[in-house]
Amino acid sequence: MEQLRAEHFDAYFGEQINLCGNGLAHALGIKSHFWVSSCPVGDHMAWVLGMPQPSSYIPSLVGIDTTNKMSYLERLQNIYSTFLYVYFVEKSVEETTEVFRRKYGADFPNVGEIAADSDMIFVSTDEFIEFPRPTLPNVVHIGGLGFREKLGNDVLNEPYLSEMEKGEKGVVYFSLGTLVNTTSLPEFAMTAVVETVKQTPDYHFIVAVDKYDQKLVRLEETIPAKHPRLRAFITHGGYNSVMEASRAAVPLIAIPFLFDQTR
């Protein structure tokens, strides 16, 4: 701690998933705090910030598969999901606070209060494709900040450069991101993918599989959504994938698995 304190850091940037870093920044005496969310504003994050989270039209981050147009039953389920999410994360916040209080004394502030006092909150989403919701003046959307601006072949190497030229009508890209391994999917799921490929000969399919999958060719690079020959993107619904495809106006077929992907 003394070595870190001697660095005299000007600012702290911390991910919202765990507030331990916020407590550490306070203990180090760092004055400027910036809270970062790598996904949409979650239920607990809104709770901590005092940001309204109307469960009648804002889907819980880890809730049911629904939109902002909910039935009465879906609203009840969404309220329940939101409550559970906030409850369990709040317990984690209390436990984290207790760790710091054992070290620095009983007057150490709640780490949630430290996070709520952040100068700015950076959210890695695009408000134009996110559900409409109440917000705060210090919330800034930075979705797509790291996207590549180059188009098509400028960012591809062989053999993908040649692969993108195949298919009379263009290319369809299939990728489930980094969290879902294709080898963990039921056999019928990948069989369905292969059968779909066979039934659409006018399109060339590029299927990204994990390193343990020996049935299909492993993809070592990602295909840019802005590529002029990309006609559709089959995705798990990760936010980066959704944002990149939306900016490039590429049609999406979403197969969500968990967390914010269902939104």
Side-chain angles (χ1 to χ4, degrees):
M1 284 293 291
E2 292 305 319
Q3 183 177 352
L4 289 173
R5 192 174 285 111
E7 295 291 337
H8 301 292
F9 293 109
D10 294 316
Y12 162 77
F13 290 79
E15 166 63 44
Q16 56 86 25
I17 294 176
N18 189 292
L19 301 188
C20 182
N22 298 80
L24 180 62
H26 180 83
L28 291 172
I30 301 174
K31 301 300 182 183
S32 298
H33 292 194
F34 299 92
W35 210 12
V36 182
S37 177
S38 57
C39 58
V41 174
D43 314 45
H44 181 263
M45 191 176 190
W47 173 275
V48 167
L49 292 171
M51 182 188 298
Q53 176 85 4
S55 297
S56 59
Y57 65 89
I58 299 180
S60 171
L61 194 62
V62 292
I64 59 175
D65 182 6
T66 184
T67 69
N68 58 334
K69 306 294 184 182
M70 304 182 206
S71 66
Y72 183 73
L73 178 59
E74 286 174 333
R75 290 183 180 186
L76 287 176
Q77 292 173 319
N78 193 52
I79 290 172
Y80 179 69
S81 177
T82 300
F83 172 79
L84 283 183
Y85 183 22
V86 171
Y87 173 76
F88 284 111
V89 177
E90 191 63 22
K91 285 192 65 175
S92 172
V93 169
E94 292 173 0
E95 292 169 356
T96 302
T97 300
E98 184 58 31
V99 170
F100 281 101
R101 286 177 177 170
R102 287 200 298 267
K103 175 70 175 178
Y104 297 104
D107 59 343
F108 194 91
N110 183 285
V111 292
E113 295 175 0
I114 297 172
D117 198 36
S118 298
D119 297 274
M120 297 190 73
I121 294 89
F122 296 111
V123 184
S124 186
T125 61
D126 187 326
E127 62 266 47
F128 292 105
I129 60 173
E130 178 59 16
F131 292 121
R133 61 158 305 134
T135 187
L136 299 174
N138 62 337
V139 173
V140 180
H141 294 266
I142 59 171
L145 188 64
F147 284 172
R148 294 172 293 192
E149 294 301 325
K150 291 184 178 181
L151 297 176
N153 293 339
D154 294 335
V155 296
L156 286 177
N157 299 312
E158 291 291 357
Y160 311 108
L161 192 62
S162 299
E163 291 295 321
M164 290 303 294
E165 297 303 318
K166 297 179 180 179
E168 181 181 343
K169 293 184 178 180
V171 175
V172 176
Y173 180 37
F174 178 100
S175 174
L176 299 180
T178 56
L179 292 179
V180 179
N181 292 328
T182 51
T183 46
S184 65
L185 295 176
E187 185 174 350
F188 75 84
M190 293 309 294
T191 300
V193 173
V194 174
E195 290 301 318
T196 301
V197 172
K198 292 179 180 178
Q199 294 175 25
T200 51
D202 291 339
Y203 293 92
H204 182 59
F205 278 73
I206 297 179
V207 181
V209 299
D210 62 73
K211 62 182 179 181
Y212 304 108
D213 198 329
Q214 302 299 320
K215 298 177 182 178
L216 296 168
V217 177
R218 174 165 165 73
L219 186 70
E220 300 290 349
E221 298 183 25
T222 57
I223 303 300
K226 286 186 176 181
H227 197 288
R229 299 204 77 247
L230 188 62
R231 297 293 179 261
F233 181 20
I234 304 173
T235 173
H236 61 306
Y239 217 93
N240 281 335
S241 299
V242 172
M243 282 192 295
E244 187 174 353
S246 298
R247 289 190 173 197
V250 173
L252 289 169
I253 300 175
I255 310 174
F257 288 89
L258 70 170
F259 300 134
D260 60 317
Q261 296 170 8
T262 59
R263 292 161 59 97

